[in-house]
């Protein structure tokens, strides 16, 4: 893997890239000495569990890890320690927010290989270590066919809407509600096309990359997620994740 520089000559053409989003500092995890993606889960960092899933998938041509600027060296050291050197992985600097990190990853792809019309980017949270090969494969297939897809599960709880945080405004019909997960996958040029048309006000409302496309009226194909495909955000989530690894959660 490489840190801090790019190859300018493409030896072979790549079409399916993974972007591991590790740019967050994890404030909801409480006080920790390091961002949550580097915390230990069953003997190794959470990000390594996640990375291994994509590394073992034969459809992925290259993996980019977009991480906090001050932690690129640490990330590279972890990859070297737990996985070993491979030119299939590259560490690059993340952006100021989620979509900024995705755009930095796309920039790295463009600088290294260029972007073809059919190139796909599979984006995934570094702190969702329980992603399955089925989800990755179905994301790739859906992104190829539809251009955009999101991994979701049906909402099991009633969703309540409030504009002021004090009083309910609306309770939507639960059968129409889904909880978003990752991966979220895109035809790269299609994602760029929609992102470049957004106003600064629209960009300020973004919570994930699929909303970029939804704001422009694009159809987003849904891929089935899993209840266990949790995002490790809080100390409780980390406890649940350890229980899943130990087989204590069925």
């Amino acid at each position: 893997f490489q840190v801090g520089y790019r190859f300018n000559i493409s030896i072979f053409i790549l079409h399916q890239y993974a972007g591991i989003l590790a740019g967050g500092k994890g404030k909801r995890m409480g006080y920790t000495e390091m961002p949550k993606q580097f915390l230990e889960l069953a003997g190794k960092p959470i990000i390594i569990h996640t990375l291994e899933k994509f590394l073992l998938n034969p459809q992925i041509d290259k993996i980019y890890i977009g991480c906090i600027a001050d932690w690129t060296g640490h990330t590279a050291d972890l990859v070297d320690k737990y996985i070993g050197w491979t030119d299939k992985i590259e560490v690059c600097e993340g952006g100021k927010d989620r979509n900024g990190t995705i755009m930095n990853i796309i920039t790295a792809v463009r600088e290294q290989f260029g972007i073809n019309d059919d190139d796909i980017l599979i984006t995934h949270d570094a702190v969702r270590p329980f992603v399955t090969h089925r989800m990755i494969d179905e994301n790739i297939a859906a992104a190829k066919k539809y251009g955009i897809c999101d991994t979701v599960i049906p909402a099991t709880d009633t969703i309540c809407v409030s504009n002021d945080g004090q009083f309910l405004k609306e309770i939507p019909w639960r059968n129409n509600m889904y909880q978003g997960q990752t991966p979220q996958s895109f035809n790269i040029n299609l994602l760029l096309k929609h992102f470049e048309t957004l106003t600064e006000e629209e960009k300020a409302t973004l919570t994930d990359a699929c909303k970029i496309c939804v704001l422009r009226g694009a159809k987003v194909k849904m891929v089935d997620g899993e209840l266990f495909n949790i995002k490790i955000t809080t100390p409780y989530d980390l406890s649940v994740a350890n229980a899943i690894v130990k087989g204590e959660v069925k």
Side-chain angles (χ1 to χ4, degrees):
F1 58 94
Q2 299 82 37
V3 181
Y5 64 89
R6 307 279 178 254
F7 292 117
N8 292 319
I9 300 174
S10 178
I11 299 174
F12 49 89
I13 297 175
L14 305 177
H15 294 286
Q16 290 154 184
Y17 307 92
I20 306 300
L21 309 181
K25 295 184 177 179
K27 295 179 180 179
R28 284 177 288 178
M29 186 59 74
Y31 175 76
T32 59
E33 294 181 352
M34 59 186 64
K36 59 188 177 183
Q37 54 268 33
F38 304 120
L39 296 178
E40 188 172 294
L41 171 65
K44 54 188 173 183
I46 296 169
I47 191 172
I48 296 298
H49 287 274
T50 304
L51 184 58
E52 286 173 340
K53 299 293 181 62
F54 287 87
L55 190 61
L56 292 172
N57 191 295
Q59 293 200 74
I60 303 297
D61 296 303
K62 181 127 184 175
I63 304 166
Y64 291 84
I65 307 171
C67 68
I68 305 168
D70 294 341
W71 290 83
T72 55
H74 181 73
T75 303
D77 289 343
L78 290 179
V79 173
D80 188 43
K81 177 180 178 179
Y82 290 95
I83 294 174
W85 188 90
T86 170
D87 59 4
K88 193 172 181 178
I89 300 172
E90 181 158 341
V91 180
C92 63
E93 188 174 319
K96 65 179 182 180
D97 56 24
R98 180 186 193 84
N99 291 305
T101 297
I102 292 173
M103 293 303 150
N104 282 6
I105 289 172
I106 291 174
T107 296
V109 172
R110 180 188 288 116
E111 291 177 354
Q112 197 166 9
F113 301 106
I115 297 174
N116 299 315
D117 287 342
D118 58 348
D119 285 351
I120 299 298
L121 177 65
I122 303 96
T123 68
H124 188 67
D125 298 321
V127 288
R128 285 190 194 270
F130 302 115
V131 62
T132 66
H133 290 295
R134 191 271 303 166
M135 281 184 253
I136 296 171
D137 289 342
E138 290 186 9
N139 263 258
I140 292 171
K144 283 181 176 179
K145 184 173 182 179
Y146 300 99
I148 313 161
C149 68
D150 196 359
T151 304
V152 302
I153 58 173
T156 55
D157 294 325
T158 296
I159 306 298
C160 301
V161 179
S162 173
N163 289 340
D164 58 10
Q166 298 187 58
F167 299 96
L168 290 182
K169 179 180 183 295
E170 182 183 359
I171 301 179
W173 193 33
R174 189 174 64 193
N175 287 8
N176 290 339
M177 298 292 107
Y178 293 83
Q179 295 169 224
Q181 299 184 340
T182 63
Q184 294 182 323
S185 302
F186 312 88
N187 175 287
I188 296 177
N189 281 333
L190 183 59
L191 178 63
L192 289 174
K193 172 187 171 183
H194 292 313
F195 184 76
E196 289 166 358
T197 66
L198 295 182
T199 66
E200 291 304 314
E201 290 75 17
E202 288 173 321
K203 289 179 182 178
T205 70
L206 297 176
T207 53
D208 68 14
C210 278
K211 190 171 180 180
I212 295 170
C213 306
V214 170
L215 286 172
R216 286 297 169 263
K219 288 186 176 181
V220 178
K221 177 64 175 174
M222 295 192 297
V223 171
D224 290 335
E226 298 284 358
L227 284 173
F228 57 76
N229 183 32
I230 64 171
K231 185 177 182 181
I232 302 174
T233 303
T234 67
Y236 174 78
D237 297 332
L238 186 55
S239 297
V240 172
N242 274 291
I244 292 174
V245 171
K246 294 174 182 177
E248 296 172 2
V249 176
K250 303 296 185 181

